[in-house]
Amino acid sequence: MKVELRGIELHGYHGVLEEEQRDGQRFLYDVELEVGERGASDRIEDAVDYRDVAATVREVNDRRFHLLEALASAVADALLERFPVEHVKVRVRKPEVRPAGLSVEHSAVTVERP
């Protein structure tokens, strides 16, 4: 069984540019957690509660990172530490980016942990 949260939108101060660190910008998180049969009992105490998952993402986002790779890795590691999951996949998208002055939909990093 897989628990998924798509498009968690948070304001963060991640990046190498001074204005990114000063003003911050929007980040979008997609999270997939392989949870086995947790939750099949229909009891919240047996499940991985996605409210707690979202709160964990917010907690890591409140820190500051220069690189998306480090941010995505920190989110994946925090989720693995806090929840009884078999696999974690975290994608972090940065939609307000203009690499080399070019317009792109977003930059993104995806991290997976067994």
Side-chain angles (χ1 to χ4, degrees):
M1 196 174 317
K2 191 182 290 188
V3 172
E4 300 180 47
L5 292 173
R6 300 263 180 235
I8 300 169
E9 186 172 332
L10 295 167
H11 190 83
Y13 296 88
H14 315 298
V16 295
L17 301 178
E18 181 181 325
E19 57 269 17
E20 292 175 314
Q21 295 172 19
R22 180 188 64 235
D23 303 333
Q25 61 192 294
R26 187 168 55 114
F27 291 84
L28 300 170
Y29 294 83
D30 302 321
V31 176
E32 292 181 18
L33 304 170
E34 290 285 346
V35 299
E37 291 303 309
R38 289 170 191 81
S41 67
D42 199 29
R43 295 170 32 97
I44 191 67
E45 15 334 291
D46 297 336
V48 173
D49 190 332
Y50 57 78
R51 296 172 297 183
D52 296 333
V53 171
T56 300
V57 173
R58 181 187 309 130
E59 182 182 309
V60 175
N61 181 76
D62 286 346
R63 296 167 38 201
R64 292 179 182 240
F65 295 87
H66 286 110
L67 300 179
L68 281 181
E69 294 88 340
L71 173 58
S73 293
V75 171
D77 292 342
L79 293 170
L80 274 178
E81 289 172 12
R82 294 182 187 179
F83 301 100
V85 298
E86 300 166 9
H87 185 263
V88 172
K89 182 176 179 181
V90 174
R91 182 177 188 210
V92 181
R93 292 177 283 154
K94 187 175 180 179
E96 298 166 16
V97 65
R98 294 188 53 81
L102 300 173
S103 180
V104 298
E105 183 179 310
H106 62 261
S107 62
V109 171
T110 302
V111 172
E112 293 189 54
R113 300 274 195 266

